[in-house]
Amino acid sequence: MTKSFDINSLVRANIAKLKAYSSARDEYSASCNDMVFLDANENPFNNGVNRYPDPYQRKVKELLAEQKGCSVNQMLLGNGSDEALDLIFRAFCEPGKDTVITLPPTYGMYKVLADLNEIENREVLLTKDFEPNVEEILRIADAHSKLLFICSPNNPTGNSFKAEKIRALLTNFSGLVVIDEAYIDFTSNHSWISEMQNFPNLIVTQTMSKAYALAGIRLGICYASEDVITILNKIKPPYNVNELTQKRALDQLQNLNLVERQVNIILAEREALIEALQTLSFVDTIYPTDANFILIKVDNATQRYNELLEKGIVIRNRTTQPLCENTLRITIGTKEENNILLTALKQLT
Ligand SMILES: *Cc1c(COP(=O)(O)O)cnc(C)c1O
């Protein structure tokens, strides 16, 4: 890593100056059970959720820190990882002035957030084998390029990027590198969290929405240096992760065996589905996948998509995405769901 990395040169001036809102629960946490709390204008009659939630989600973070091998101060939890991504934009990107770099075809939310925050989005297409074009990324980056978004395993292509490509970007890009690991639990690749000590410009996001089976509670996790987390904590809404979400996340984190069992079933189903798809004449290409979905190229994606829809099966048509002409993205379901899909596909000619 370049020795000159200084987070204070990346943060927006107004954010650097900002004094964070101090909530009642910032000052005294509800975990001190023997105290009388008359500070937050709550209804005192206990029903499990009458009190404001812990603004720093300490219990969830302590468990995550143990499991992920990092410190509680290197984490920010958000209302989905989408909230964490939005906070990163707002902390580091000056509207109308700064730029970010994204690598299509990829997750659509980075572009939406760039537009929402009035930040120019410089797009550098992946190469034909769906890898980052390192040279081109570094060529178009300039002093205003604050963020680079790397989604690995990538949505919608499904592949993990080569470690040496990501390492080259972490080493040579002078802004923050956000690695979105929403699908990390479906690969045998290690998370980049373990590289945070080596790269002060690294931010990793993960989510409970996919492998952890909790899309409905909205919980995303951002891992970064303490310096970055301190800045994000300053601007996050005080009670951004509600009590029910924190409780449900804790339950699931204490039940990782279940998560692992389900992931293993999904992986076995993924292999079975790939094998079956190979026998279909209108399927051209099945791209390698490290995620809980498969991207395939077919003869006519929009036609196949509509035919499945008529049979009550909803998949994702990705044909309008760059490099993805005539592709469909299929999420791995239960064995029963996958069999329904296969039966329907076999009826198409
Ligand atoms: C599904 C997905 C997410 C999840 O976002 P949440 O807001 O945590 O549900 C993040 N990134 C990518 C690439 C995804 O596909």
Side-chain angles (χ1 to χ4, degrees):
M1 185 57 217
T2 45
K3 283 141 261 142
S4 60
F5 182 80
D6 174 17
I7 193 65
N8 298 314
S9 70
L10 293 177
V11 67
R12 291 169 65 196
N14 64 313
I15 303 291
K17 274 188 295 197
L18 181 88
K19 190 173 173 344
Y21 170 75
S22 175
S23 68
R25 284 295 161 270
D26 270 342
E27 288 160 22
Y28 292 98
S29 144
S31 62
C32 318
N33 286 325
D34 51 349
M35 294 181 100
V36 177
F37 285 104
L38 304 175
D39 58 343
N41 302 342
E42 298 151 332
N43 180 321
F45 297 101
N46 184 34
N47 61 10
V49 286
N50 59 310
R51 298 289 177 186
Y52 280 101
D54 176 1
Y56 295 107
Q57 311 96 16
R58 277 162 267 233
K59 286 190 183 138
V60 179
K61 282 183 186 168
E62 277 163 21
L63 208 47
L64 276 171
E66 234 175 78
Q67 295 175 357
K68 301 285 178 176
C70 62
S71 108
V72 163
N73 302 326
Q74 292 173 311
M75 270 178 233
L76 173 118
L77 304 194
N79 183 11
S81 40
D82 289 348
E83 184 187 35
L85 295 171
D86 186 47
L87 291 173
I88 295 167
F89 266 97
R90 288 199 282 157
F92 297 104
C93 297
E94 195 64 37
K97 184 176 144 212
D98 287 330
T99 65
V100 299
I101 299 177
T102 62
L103 314 178
T106 193
Y107 187 45
M109 202 61 195
Y110 316 134
K111 180 179 163 47
V112 171
L113 289 171
D115 290 346
L116 177 65
N117 288 290
E118 205 196 334
I119 306 301
E120 185 196 334
N121 175 28
R122 298 191 172 173
E123 300 188 318
V124 180
L125 279 194
L126 296 178
T127 57
K128 283 210 175 59
D129 55 348
F130 297 147
E131 290 286 341
N133 185 340
V134 175
E135 248 176 58
E136 182 61 12
I137 293 165
L138 296 175
R139 197 186 65 76
I140 71 153
D142 62 20
H144 293 296
S145 304
K146 294 291 187 69
L147 307 173
L148 165 63
F149 288 91
I150 297 178
C151 184
S152 182
N154 187 39
N155 178 5
T157 58
N159 62 309
S160 302
F161 298 149
K162 291 200 177 93
E164 68 260 28
K165 305 251 179 199
I166 295 179
R167 194 172 293 277
L169 291 167
L170 279 166
T171 307
N172 295 303
F173 181 72
S174 52
L176 293 161
V177 177
V178 181
I179 305 184
D180 184 337
E181 294 187 335
Y183 300 98
I184 191 71
D185 306 285
F186 300 104
T187 89
S188 48
N189 297 338
H190 72 91
S191 162
W192 285 88
I193 291 174
S194 57
E195 296 280 343
M196 284 200 303
Q197 312 311 329
N198 302 329
F199 297 106
N201 60 337
L202 168 60
I203 298 180
V204 175
T205 61
Q206 295 186 353
T207 178
M208 306 211 67
S209 297
K210 308 286 159 59
Y212 286 79
L214 293 174
I217 71 170
R218 310 304 300 124
L219 187 69
I221 309 128
C222 168
Y223 300 90
S225 71
E226 283 191 35
D227 288 347
V228 168
I229 295 298
T230 301
I231 292 166
L232 297 178
N233 270 332
K234 217 160 85 157
I235 67 169
K236 83 176 186 69
Y239 304 113
N240 61 327
V241 179
N242 73 66
E243 182 69 20
L244 297 173
T245 293
Q246 293 188 42
K247 285 210 169 95
R248 193 62 195 267
L250 262 183
D251 286 348
Q252 196 75 323
L253 291 171
Q254 284 160 341
N255 199 1
L256 288 187
N257 283 338
L258 173 68
V259 176
E260 199 186 316
R261 275 204 306 279
Q262 292 180 346
V263 166
N264 285 334
I265 293 170
I266 291 166
L267 293 182
E269 280 301 309
R270 184 177 78 186
E271 292 324 298
L273 195 54
I274 288 172
E275 238 175 74
L277 288 169
Q278 282 166 351
T279 66
L280 299 172
S281 61
F282 58 86
V283 175
D284 266 9
T285 313
I286 303 165
Y287 295 97
T289 178
D290 262 343
N292 65 335
F293 57 82
I294 307 173
L295 188 75
I296 60 172
K297 190 189 270 296
V298 297
D299 54 349
N300 184 334
T302 303
Q303 179 198 329
R304 300 308 178 187
Y305 173 82
N306 286 326
E307 286 170 344
L308 285 177
L309 208 52
E310 274 166 31
K311 293 173 185 288
I313 300 168
V314 191
I315 60 170
R316 199 98 159 107
N317 184 357
R318 297 284 78 191
T319 193
T320 60
Q321 300 295 300
L323 307 178
C324 290
E325 199 187 343
N326 280 321
T327 62
L328 300 168
R329 195 192 69 193
I330 304 171
T331 305
I332 312 300
T334 61
K335 186 183 266 314
E336 293 70 29
E337 289 171 327
N338 302 333
N339 284 337
I340 292 170
L341 170 75
L342 283 171
T343 304
L345 285 172
K346 283 173 191 161
Q347 286 164 3
L348 308 183
T349 49

